[in-house]
Amino acid sequence: MAAAAGEGPGPSSGAPRGAARRAALVAAAAGLVAAGGPAALSARAAARAAGVPLAAVTYYFDDVPALLREAVEALLDDLGERVLAASEATPPPAAEDPGATALAGAVVGLVLGPYGGRGAAGVRALYARTLELSADPELAPRLGAFDAACADAVARLLRSAGREAGAARAVLALADGWLVAAAVAGEAGPGEDAGALERWAAERLAPGLVALAPVR
């Protein structure tokens, strides 16, 4: 989708230098969007971060929105790999984790991905970026597909822990809710510290996981 939208009048993808510059711009744009959201992306900022001339942006892309779409595709590809890796972890079986504490921590870590370890700021950034990008009708379907992949990953975690995986989407929604609540609560809740915030969310998610019937 985004690749087609981003094709500009530049050289063919077979030209090594052109391909390298184009890839550098996409990577730079992805970093800018991940750090500051779509508003952080401009032609000048992308060119500076990529170390290429400003004119390269309009040479390789129709416009900045086309670059944004390719950057988001790159971000989601990277996040998808991280989610898959996280889902392949093996939480303790239900019998060894009756309070589901370890399982809840694994789910919270999967949801946060690279925004984990940043405390409330990381949680706010994760959901702010997602909401901002979902407003783009061309990106919304791709974000929806990524959300489905996250639900599948949570299902794999539940199955690996020996628990019923049918409620994976509900578990994902609960994790989202507790993480947002932790960030909103601030000092009245877990505070800004990354470890405390993630533990706080996991502790509140765990009772819902205990209620999931173990697979027999």
Side-chain angles (χ1 to χ4, degrees), residues 6-209:
E7 290 298 338
S12 70
S13 59
R17 185 182 180 195
R21 280 191 166 185
R22 199 175 193 283
L25 281 166
V26 172
L32 290 166
V33 173
L41 178 60
S42 67
R44 190 173 301 278
R48 184 186 305 116
V52 301
L54 177 59
V57 177
T58 52
Y59 190 68
Y60 295 108
F61 301 91
D62 290 337
D63 49 27
V64 172
L67 174 57
L68 171 64
R69 287 189 287 274
E70 290 215 34
V72 172
E73 291 283 355
L75 278 174
L76 291 178
D77 286 345
D78 177 65
L79 289 173
E81 291 176 4
R82 291 172 183 262
V83 164
L84 180 61
S87 73
E88 291 173 346
T90 307
E96 296 175 15
D97 186 26
T101 303
L103 177 57
V107 171
V108 166
L110 183 151
V111 170
L112 284 175
Y115 290 93
R118 303 186 194 179
V123 174
R124 294 185 190 109
L126 170 63
Y127 294 104
R129 305 294 176 265
T130 303
L131 289 171
E132 285 179 286
L133 293 169
S134 68
D136 184 328
E138 292 197 43
L139 292 175
R142 183 69 169 85
L143 289 167
F146 177 70
D147 181 66
C150 287
D152 288 344
V154 170
R156 284 193 291 273
L157 278 179
L158 295 175
R159 281 193 294 270
S160 70
R163 296 184 186 271
E164 176 57 50
R169 185 165 287 283
V171 169
L172 180 59
L174 281 171
D176 284 333
W178 282 121
L179 284 165
V180 170
V184 170
E187 293 303 324
E192 298 288 317
D193 175 72
L197 182 147
E198 291 166 27
R199 285 193 301 274
W200 190 91
E203 286 167 3
R204 283 151 182 78
L205 175 63
L209 302 185

